[in-house]
């Protein structure tokens, strides 16, 4: 069994809250006692008549059956609490154990907040050594298993008391968006992110598949050199010119596998292909189709719309969903009539060829002649682009992605672009205190943080729900894939909770939120985005005081690879290395080598310590002042007008003792022979290409294999000690199973500090 005690927090476990929160009531009068996991049979019993049920009202075209969801539940139980759980179909409830089946009451009474019946409702009853979960549909059954897993984690894998939960989500759309058009994300990462989000009952993954670095930041003259990306690889050779980096694309088989994986955990992938704006990938391929601003299609060109239709004809058969996103934001408002006709024509085309509806971003189209079709779903993102109240009054369906609460710009905000900068980490404070009003918790009916009376009614007929958004505006090298996860890590559970509860459900307890968040995020089953070791006997046996990993050379200089077998370890951590000469550490996410700085970074031939990521970007150790990079308004950012940091590559001489301390806010910072030398960072264009700065890189420790003149390696969880920057504390691993729950008290302290910085 992998579950370990919660040390200092075990006495407070009863105060923790699942996310989304639930309202427990007493049982039906015939139940007493509770449910003990250790006493239960390692069998999930599934009502035979419900086993083949699959939903019809959700957005996915590949809905899993209740049996498939039960199998996923069994895998999660095995990972979190040990044992080999199996699924057995039976005709009636067993005397004890976990029993899954059909909702026993009147399913029509479980509705979304707008009154529409839902297959996502469930009942969970605990008592007499048994647990029963009944779903109004297969997804409802699955969401009930998420509640049970979270309650078991809060109970430290022990017993939970008798009681009953009956609930349904307030909104069908509970989603998150990832910008994969300006940063490449692998299929494995995307699937892990789906797995993580589903633990908190997210229902949609908005996959923004194409985009380019913003040309409105002064790059229009060199537009053909500006980064752009199309992340799906067409099978039709005539369309493959849209792709600039074939090795950074998903094939049809990979994309369909990604969609199936997400569906198996209750999440529908909503793919987006941008046009007629943000489409430099098209205009680089066919320059004749561009307007003067080169990432805008000239919709008056006779080949423009046929080209967009050809792209959609290629990919529509890939997309296993009833709704797709065609982008359609930030176009030229002087061409409003042409734009509106394009949106309506694309809506008709997509629907007539595939039966799907389209979504667009809310946009300003000042036309006296035409209006967007009511068949088009509007994803509101900013006032001045669309007005949610007007959209509701005009009969549109809409989604809340209002940038004030929903947006992140990974690694750097847009300062000084107005109306407001976007945080680099999701701003939980804006969700817990909407419009900066203490204790006014956001929900999808709340759009306007300025004119606070101008909101939709709870459960408004047109409001589908909400989607948070993580944008890669700073380009492909400004973040690693895992840094994209760090930015959303704490936001996904909170937004999922508030979109599930709406105005009618249970609020998040602000006093319990941070410890609840850390416990549950650290133990979301089926993924390891935190990059924690699966087991760590040394660490556990020593109560978290000894290093997580140590290695000492026994033969001096080694010209061949030595297997370390630990993969990667994510922040916060301290990696200490003693080396008598050049060396390499390799891992699945990064490598760390002593080498000459590549010519595209520096021409001075400095031999330094270089981190490289799996997607090919090198980051040499650069000289920074220890006091720089701690601007509370822009965490990790060093403005170029600060002269204390040179940002030159740092020469490394041997023998050397190297210490790398990494946390998600301050990145990877380096001491050599106990003297602070600098950090790993990236140069970023700010504002409208007028503010320049350096931003930190938080890189995971590579510990799969080693070679070269290494004497020793020591990995410790958390950061601190001599030379530390004071922003982190010793923090134990928070991976699945025993090591993920060890010493949770210090985990909470560490993440409270990090979270408080991210919320500024």
């Amino acid at each position: 069994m992998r579950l370990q005690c919660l040390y200092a927090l075990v006495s407070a476990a009863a105060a923790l809250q699942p996310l989304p929160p639930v309202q427990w009531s007493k049982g039906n009068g015939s139940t007493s006692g509770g449910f003990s996991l250790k006493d239960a049979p390692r069998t999930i019993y599934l009502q035979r008549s419900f086993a083949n049920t699959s939903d019809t009202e959700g957005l996915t075209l590949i809905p899993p059956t209740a049996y498939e969801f039960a199998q996923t539940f069994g895998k999660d139980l095995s990972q979190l609490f040990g044992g080999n759980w199996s699924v057995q179909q039976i005709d009636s409830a067993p005397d004890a154990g976990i029993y899954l089946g059909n909702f026993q009451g009147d399913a029509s009474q479980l509705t979304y907040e707008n009154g529409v019946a839902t297959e996502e409702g469930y009942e969970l009853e605990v008592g007499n050594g048994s647990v029963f979960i009944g779903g109004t549909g297969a997804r409802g059954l699955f969401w009930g298993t998420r509640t049970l897993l979270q309650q078991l984690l809060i109970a430290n894998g022990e017993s939970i008391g008798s009681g009953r939960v009956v609930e349904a989500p307030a909104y069908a759309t509970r989603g998150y968006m990832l910008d994969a058009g300006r940063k490449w994300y692998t299929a494995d990462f995307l699937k892990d992110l789906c797995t993580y989000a589903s633990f908190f009952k997210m229902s949609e993954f908005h996959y923004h598949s194409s985009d380019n670095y913003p040309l409105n930041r002064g790059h229009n003259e060199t537009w053909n050199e500006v980064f752009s990306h199309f992340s799906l690889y067409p099978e039709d050779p005539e369309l493959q010119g849209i792709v600039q980096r074939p090795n950074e694309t998903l094939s049809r088989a990979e994309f369909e596998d990604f969609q199936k994986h997400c569906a198996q955990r209750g999440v529908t992938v909503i793919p987006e292909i941008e046009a007629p704006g943000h489409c430099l990938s098209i205009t680089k391929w066919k320059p004749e189709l561009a307007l003067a601003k080169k990432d805008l299609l000239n919709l008056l060109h006779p080949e423009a719309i046929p080209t967009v239709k050809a792209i959609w004809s290629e990919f529509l058969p890939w997309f296993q969903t009833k709704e797709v996103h065609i982008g359609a934001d930030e176009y030229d408002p002087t061409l409003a009539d042409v734009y509106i006709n394009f949106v309506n024509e694309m809506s008709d085309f997509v629907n007539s060829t595939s039966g799907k509806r389209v979504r667009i971003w809310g946009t300003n189209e000042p036309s006296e002649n035409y209006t967007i079709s009511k068949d088009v779903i509007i994803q509101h993102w900013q006032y001045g682009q669309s007005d949610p109240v007007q959209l509701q009054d005009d009969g549109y369906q809409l989604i809340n992605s209002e940038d004030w609460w929903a947006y992140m710009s990974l690694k750097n905000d847009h300062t000084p672009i107005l109306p407001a900068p976007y945080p680099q980490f999701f701003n939980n404070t804006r969700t817990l205190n909407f419009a900066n009003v203490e204790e006014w918790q956001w929900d999808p009916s709340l759009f306007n943080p300025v004119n606070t009376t101008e909101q939709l009614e709870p459960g408004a007929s047109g409001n589908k729900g909400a989607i948070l958004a993580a944008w890669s505006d700073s380009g492909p090298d400004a973040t690693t894939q895992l840094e994209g996860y760090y930015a959303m890590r704490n936001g996904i559970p909170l937004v999922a909770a508030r979109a599930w509860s709406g105005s009618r459900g249970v609020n998040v307890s602000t006093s319990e939120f941070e410890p609840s968040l850390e416990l549950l995020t650290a133990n979301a089953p089926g993924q390891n985005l935190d990059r924690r070791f699966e087991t760590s006997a040394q660490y556990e046996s020593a109560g978290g005081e000894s290093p997580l990993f140590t290695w000492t050379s026994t033969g001096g200089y080694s010209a061949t690879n030595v297997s370390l077998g630990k993969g990667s370890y994510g922040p916060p951590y301290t990696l200490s290395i003693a080396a008598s000469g050049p060396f390499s550490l390799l891992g699945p996410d990064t490598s760390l080598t002593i080498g000459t700085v590549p010519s595209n970074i520096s021409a001075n031939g400095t031999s330094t310590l270089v981190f490289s990521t799996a997607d090919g970007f090198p980051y040499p150790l650069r000289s920074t002042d220890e006091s720089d990079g701690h601007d509370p308004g822009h965490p990790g950012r060093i403005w170029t007008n600060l002269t204390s940091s040179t940002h030159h590559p740092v020469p490394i001489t041997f023998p050397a003792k190297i210490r790398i301390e990494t946390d998600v806010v301050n990145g990877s910072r380096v001491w050599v022979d106990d003297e602070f030398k600098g950090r790993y960072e990236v140069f970023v264009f700010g504002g409208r290409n007028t503010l320049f700065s350096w931003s930190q890189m938080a890189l995971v420790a590579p510990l799969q294999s080693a070679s070269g003149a290494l004497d020793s390696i020591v990995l410790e969880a958390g950061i601190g000690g001599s030379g530390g920057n004071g922003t982190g504390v010793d923090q134990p691993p928070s991976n699945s199973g025993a090591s993920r729950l060890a010493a949770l008290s210090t985990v909470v302290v560490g993440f409270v500090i990090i979270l408080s910085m991210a919320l500024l």
Side-chain angles (χ1 to χ4, degrees):
M1 181 175 178
R2 299 180 182 178
L3 196 63
Q4 183 167 311
C5 69
L6 298 184
Y7 290 101
L9 285 190
V10 69
S11 61
L16 299 184
Q17 186 179 47
L19 297 170
V22 297
Q23 181 63 57
W24 285 92
S25 61
K26 293 183 178 180
N28 59 18
S30 63
T31 59
S32 62
F35 172 78
S36 172
L37 191 65
K38 65 183 178 61
D39 296 331
R42 294 300 185 262
T43 301
I44 298 166
Y45 299 104
L46 176 63
Q47 183 181 347
R48 194 185 310 275
S49 61
F50 194 67
N52 292 324
T53 298
S54 58
D55 293 352
T56 60
E57 300 301 319
L59 292 183
T60 182
L61 296 175
I62 47 174
T65 64
Y67 179 75
E68 290 174 295
F69 279 133
Q71 288 181 308
T72 300
F73 176 44
K75 292 176 183 177
D76 293 343
L77 277 170
S78 298
Q79 179 190 340
L80 290 175
F81 306 109
N84 185 19
W85 289 77
S86 62
V87 178
Q88 179 182 338
Q89 297 184 38
I90 58 176
D91 292 317
S92 58
D95 293 333
I98 299 174
Y99 180 48
L100 311 180
N102 194 19
F103 183 74
Q104 299 299 299
D106 182 0
S108 66
Q109 294 180 359
L110 289 184
T111 68
Y112 296 118
E113 201 160 8
N114 61 11
V116 174
T118 172
E119 296 164 316
E120 297 190 84
Y122 71 91
E123 58 185 325
L124 167 60
E125 183 149 4
V126 179
N128 297 327
S130 297
V131 173
F132 172 68
I133 302 174
T136 60
R139 279 176 300 154
L141 179 75
F142 184 67
W143 300 139
T145 68
R146 305 303 88 183
T147 300
L148 178 60
L149 288 176
Q150 291 192 21
Q151 289 293 162
L152 288 168
L153 284 168
I154 290 170
N156 197 23
E158 300 295 332
S159 298
I160 54 178
S162 63
R164 178 174 171 79
V165 173
V166 180
E167 65 169 0
Y171 293 88
T173 292
R174 310 177 302 279
Y176 60 101
M177 190 222 76
L178 181 64
D179 177 3
R182 286 175 280 208
K183 170 67 187 175
W184 166 240
Y185 295 93
T186 66
D188 285 342
F189 174 85
L190 298 172
K191 289 190 288 187
D192 282 350
L193 194 59
C194 255
T195 299
Y196 175 79
S198 76
F199 189 54
F200 305 99
K201 303 175 186 170
M202 278 290 195
S203 64
E204 295 181 14
F205 186 163
H206 178 171
Y207 181 74
H208 185 81
S209 73
S210 62
D211 212 320
N212 51 267
Y213 193 86
L215 288 185
N216 62 355
R217 302 204 190 164
H219 291 279
N220 203 48
E221 293 79 6
T222 56
W223 64 274
N224 60 332
E225 301 173 9
V226 171
F227 182 86
S228 63
H229 189 44
F230 197 94
S231 62
L232 306 175
Y233 194 77
E235 294 179 329
D236 183 351
E238 294 187 4
L239 295 175
Q240 290 170 3
I242 204 171
V243 174
Q244 280 84 55
R245 289 164 306 284
N247 63 320
E248 293 185 355
T249 56
L250 300 176
S251 67
R252 179 171 183 172
E254 289 172 321
F255 194 78
E256 291 188 341
D257 178 63
F258 161 46
Q259 293 175 98
K260 181 178 179 180
H261 175 91
C262 291
Q264 293 290 318
R265 287 186 173 269
V267 179
T268 301
V269 176
I270 307 295
E272 177 185 357
I273 299 174
E274 269 274 15
H278 297 265
C279 53
L280 201 57
S281 56
I282 297 177
T283 58
K284 280 184 182 178
W285 172 40
K286 294 189 174 186
E288 69 275 12
L289 301 184
L291 288 173
K293 186 172 181 294
K294 295 298 186 178
D295 62 348
L296 303 183
L297 280 178
N298 179 3
L299 293 175
L300 293 174
H301 193 289
E303 293 302 314
I305 294 178
T307 297
V308 176
K309 287 182 177 179
I311 293 169
W312 276 99
S313 294
E314 167 77 7
F315 293 110
L316 278 170
W318 295 28
F319 299 155
Q320 302 299 323
T321 172
K322 299 175 185 177
E323 294 178 8
V324 295
H325 206 299
I326 64 170
D329 67 322
E330 296 186 302
Y331 194 61
D332 187 339
T334 67
L335 298 174
D337 288 0
V338 176
Y339 165 85
I340 292 171
N341 284 331
F342 165 79
V343 169
N344 291 342
E345 185 172 346
M346 288 304 301
S347 175
D348 291 342
F349 173 77
V350 169
N351 185 259
S352 63
T353 57
S354 68
K356 304 180 193 300
R357 291 186 67 184
V358 304
R359 300 178 179 181
I360 65 170
W361 295 102
T363 191
N364 180 26
E365 68 285 338
S367 172
E368 297 179 357
N369 304 308
Y370 303 101
T371 58
I372 299 290
S373 167
K374 299 296 195 301
D375 292 330
V376 175
I377 300 161
I378 312 295
Q379 188 165 345
H380 168 83
W381 68 279
Q382 188 180 88
Y383 284 90
Q385 300 294 328
S386 60
D387 182 340
V389 174
Q390 191 65 52
L391 290 172
Q392 168 70 28
D393 290 346
D394 289 344
Y396 287 96
Q397 285 197 312
L398 67 154
I399 294 167
N400 186 346
S401 290
E402 163 63 28
D403 61 353
W404 185 85
W405 73 264
Y407 272 28
M408 292 158 277
S409 179
L410 301 186
K411 192 55 63 70
N412 254 306
D413 63 29
H414 289 177
T415 299
I417 295 176
L418 298 177
Y422 299 145
Q424 67 192 57
F425 298 92
F426 185 81
N427 192 320
N428 282 351
T429 297
R430 292 182 179 179
T431 304
L432 291 170
N433 304 292
F434 182 71
N436 298 319
V437 177
E438 193 77 17
E439 301 287 334
W440 186 16
Q441 296 194 6
W442 168 89
D443 69 62
S445 71
L446 301 177
F447 288 79
N448 197 324
V450 178
N451 298 319
T452 56
T453 61
E454 294 184 6
Q455 317 294 349
L456 296 189
E457 291 296 323
S461 60
N463 193 359
K464 290 171 65 69
I467 295 175
L468 65 86
W471 294 100
S472 304
D473 287 348
S474 296
D477 62 341
T479 56
T480 68
Q481 297 188 64
L482 292 171
E483 284 182 305
Y485 158 70
Y486 304 152
M488 292 187 284
R489 182 185 192 267
N490 292 348
I492 283 175
L494 181 57
V495 172
R498 296 303 304 132
W500 178 280
S501 292
S503 66
R504 69 184 183 186
V506 183
N507 276 2
V508 171
S509 168
T510 54
S511 64
E512 299 164 10
F513 174 64
E514 287 167 352
S516 300
L517 180 76
E518 180 49 33
L519 170 65
L520 298 174
T521 56
N523 288 278
Q527 54 76 42
N528 186 18
L529 290 168
D530 283 328
R531 296 298 192 262
R532 296 295 187 255
F533 299 157
E534 192 63 25
T535 58
S536 180
Q538 276 185 318
Y539 183 81
E540 292 161 17
S541 63
E545 295 299 322
S546 65
L548 282 168
F549 174 76
T550 60
W551 175 88
T552 303
S553 173
T554 57
Y557 186 89
S558 173
T560 59
N561 283 348
V562 174
S563 176
L564 304 176
K566 304 302 289 186
S568 299
Y569 192 85
Y573 68 82
T574 299
L575 181 67
S576 300
I577 300 165
S580 52
F583 66 88
S584 295
L585 284 176
L586 304 178
D589 300 295
T590 60
S591 64
L592 180 63
T593 61
I594 294 290
T596 301
V597 177
S599 60
N600 65 322
I601 293 180
S602 172
N604 64 7
T606 300
S607 180
T608 189
L609 195 58
V610 179
F611 253 119
S612 296
T613 58
D615 46 4
F617 292 108
Y619 302 93
L621 173 61
R622 293 184 181 275
S623 176
T624 62
D625 190 274
E626 189 172 359
S627 64
D628 284 349
H630 303 292
D631 180 348
H634 308 274
R637 194 166 186 171
I638 300 178
W639 305 94
T640 54
N641 62 354
L642 291 176
T643 58
S644 50
S645 293
T646 68
H647 307 284
H648 294 157
V650 176
I652 298 294
T653 58
F654 295 99
K657 293 182 179 179
I658 299 164
R659 186 174 81 254
I660 302 172
E661 296 186 358
T662 300
D663 69 83
V664 299
V665 173
N666 297 287
S668 298
R669 294 157 58 83
V670 180
W671 287 256
V672 178
D673 297 327
D674 293 326
E675 179 183 355
F676 181 79
K677 290 295 185 180
R679 66 176 190 169
Y680 295 96
E681 57 185 12
V682 62
F683 185 72
V684 173
F685 296 90
R688 285 187 168 86
N689 203 24
T690 58
L691 291 179
F692 307 103
S693 61
W694 293 85
S695 288
Q696 77 291 355
M697 298 298 299
L699 298 150
V700 300
L703 292 167
Q704 188 61 29
S705 63
S707 62
L710 280 164
D711 301 320
S712 65
I713 303 168
V714 178
L715 176 73
E716 297 171 281
I719 62 172
S722 61
N725 55 37
T727 60
V729 296
D730 289 341
Q731 182 170 333
S734 55
N735 188 39
S736 60
S739 61
R740 298 179 78 176
L741 287 175
L744 182 62
S745 58
T746 49
V747 172
V748 172
V749 173
F751 250 85
V752 167
I753 292 171
I754 292 172
L755 184 62
S756 66
M757 294 190 68
L759 298 183
L760 292 174

